[in-house]
Amino acid sequence: MVLNKQQGRHPGFLVISCISVLVFLLIWEAACRFELVDQIFLPSPSAVLERCASMFREGTLMGHVLASTRRVMIGFLVATLLAIPLGIVLGTSRVARAVFDPILSFLRPLPSMSWIPLSLLWFGISETQKYSIVFMGTFAPALLYVIDATRNIDPLLIRAARNLGANRWQVMREVILPGSLPQIISGFKVILGLSWTCVISAELVAAKEGLGFLIMNGKEFFQTDAVVLGMVMISVTVLITDIVLRKIENKVLAWQR
């Protein structure tokens, strides 16, 4: 059943969601305590919680979270800041599309993992290497979102602006950018999730801190509670950044509501 916005905000649905999560955790805990599953392969929620409390007290957990978040934000921001102006140019100029389309078609299918060997050769095991993996994995998709959003602008609006005397720059600033912004922001929310996939890939291969490192290190020493904790922290961090992005979207696109 599809819920409309009013139903989704009803406190009753929030209670149902909380109960379903609680039941899931209780079943998981019971399965571990009655040894229906081996805790080496799947630790109980209480074991994960104990690991979380221990690492939080030591100050290492927030270090991993902040390291991954910083890498995502820097790589994501650089990719989007370059993709917005270039995407608008490509979306409005046939000549520019003819020049860049072949290169974009070549880069687009490459997964972030495929860039790791080259990035290690170029930058070594450094922060720049992590930023570059996020950038390389998100730039082409972000650019495509901007191009599509720009090309979906109603041509009548552009023609009307030009008939009223607007030059090319004014058409881009007053018509194309505001008109394409909702679709661009929606696309960037998807790209932000992709950024986390990229940074975790980079940290699994070469890192000394970060949530990807936490997961890989836990796997090496059979600390599955640390592995699950790393996975949980990725989900929690992505949810928080998504909420922040929604708040920014509501502020920037207040005129659309």
Side-chain angles (χ1 to χ4, degrees), residues 62 65-74 76-77 185-186 188-197 199 211 232-250:
M62 289 311 296
V65 172
L66 292 176
S68 294
T69 305
R70 184 185 66 245
R71 290 162 183 161
V72 165
M73 288 297 119
I74 291 176
F76 173 75
L77 284 176
I185 291 179
S186 296
F188 282 1
K189 284 192 289 189
V190 178
I191 300 295
L192 186 60
L194 180 62
S195 302
W196 276 96
T197 306
V199 81
L211 292 173
V232 171
M233 292 311 297
I234 291 170
S235 292
V236 171
T237 311
V238 171
L239 283 174
I240 291 172
T241 51
D242 189 61
I243 290 170
V244 172
L245 205 58
R246 283 177 190 273
K247 296 287 184 188
I248 295 172
E249 182 183 14
N250 289 336

Side-chain angles (χ1 to χ4, degrees), residues 86 104 111 126 166 182-183:
L86 185 57
L104 190 59
S126 64
Q183 191 176 341

